């Protein structure tokens, strides 16, 4: 059971999701076990069937569901609108499990250090590089990590961007400067967390805290196709570099690493990653780059390419 700790900040939790009602059914109720409860939970999906029936029943924290048009950036922006009156908005992936004191630690950090505009947590286990972790298994893993109380002071690491699976934003900065996620990044809109983080970086610090802990399950259902992601792996860094929210050197390094990983991975691909599809997407993006027509929106038509 969550404690009756009184909040000093209005904190909302936002979760964009698509086609993973089974995951939401397992992860959303766990938020009600936080030692410091959020003000509200907002889910944003593409259709009503993306959300379990009776989600939020029996929970202390109210749960609101929004329906958005396609695109993760659009979903995130709908959540920003719905939670516009919050002091802090904690964005979570639908498959992220927070340690019970996660929100309490977010509140403490944002109260103590007013210059922090983005905080991201310590991902104890990230299933994104695995076939994925089930909610029940993730809960056991997280509990094992938390068996021994964490010792030592908080360590704040200055980072380039927040990690979208668990990223807390100071809302008055977004309101004051009219900042939003970039809807020119369509569908899965890879790197939208980097883009907004760098816009916020002009107004404060971006940090990673070892006190905000959790597990990212890395569930594979509902994700974008290999070809589309491969295209985005080239097009999106290029777009952000031209926009000025990613260093050109970082964009080049990221794109090169992705091409090499997909090329070598195609020789002996992981069962849960479409390496050949990603490599094809990389190649199509490079072809568009040479032709002078590369754009993140290329993923909308890339699979129609011969």
């Amino acid at each position: 059971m969550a404690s009756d700790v009184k909040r000093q900040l209005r904190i909302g939790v936002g979760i964009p999701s698509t086609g993973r009602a089974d995951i939401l059914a397992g992860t959303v109720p766990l938020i009600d076990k936080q030692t410091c409860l959020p003000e509200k939970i907002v889910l944003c999906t593409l259709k009503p069937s993306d959300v379990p029936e009776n989600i939020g029943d029996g929970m202390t924290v109210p749960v609101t569901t929004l329906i958005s048009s396609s695109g993760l950036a659009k979903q995130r922006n709908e959540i920003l609108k719905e939670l516009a009156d919050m002091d802090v908005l904690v964005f979570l992936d639908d498959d992220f499990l927070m340690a019970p004191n996660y929100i309490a630690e977010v509140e403490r950090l944002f109260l103590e250090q007013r210059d922090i505009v983005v905080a991201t947590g310590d991902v104890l286990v990230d299933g994104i590089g695995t076939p994925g972790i089930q909610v029940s298994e993730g809960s056991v893993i997280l509990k094992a990590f938390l068996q021994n109380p964490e010792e030592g002071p908080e360590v704040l690491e200055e980072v380039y961007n927040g990690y979208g699976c668990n990223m807390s934003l100071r809302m008055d900065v977004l309101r004051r400067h009219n900042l939003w996620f970039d809807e020119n990044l369509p569908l899965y809109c890879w790197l939208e967390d980097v883009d907004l983080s760098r816009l916020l970086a002009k107004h404060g610090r971006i940090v990673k805290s070892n006190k905000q802990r959790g597990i990212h399950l890395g569930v594979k259902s509902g994700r974008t196709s290999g070809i589309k992601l491969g295209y985005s792996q080239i097009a999106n860094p290029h777009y952000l570099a031209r926009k000025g929210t990613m260093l050109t050197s970082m964009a080049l390094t990221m794109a090169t690493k992705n091409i090499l990983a997909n090329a070598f991975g195609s020789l002996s691909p992981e069962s849960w990653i479409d390496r050949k599809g990603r490599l094809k997407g990389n190649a199509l993006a490079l072809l568009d780059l040479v032709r002078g027509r590369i754009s993140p929106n290329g993923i909308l038509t890339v699979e129609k390419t011969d």
Side-chain angles (χ1 to χ4, degrees), residues 30 66 76 84 99 113 151 160 182 187-188 200 233 246-247 293-294 302:
L30 296 177
L66 306 176
R76 290 192 186 277
Q113 306 210 32
E151 297 180 359
Y160 192 74
D182 189 341
L187 304 183
Y188 183 62
L200 284 164
Q233 287 179 330
M246 177 176 278
L247 296 171
R293 66 186 195 191
I294 190 170
V302 68

Side-chain angles (χ1 to χ4, degrees), residues 53 69 122 137 260 276 296 304:
E53 291 186 15
S69 55
D122 185 6
E137 180 186 359
L260 292 175
K276 292 182 179 179
K304 300 175 183 177

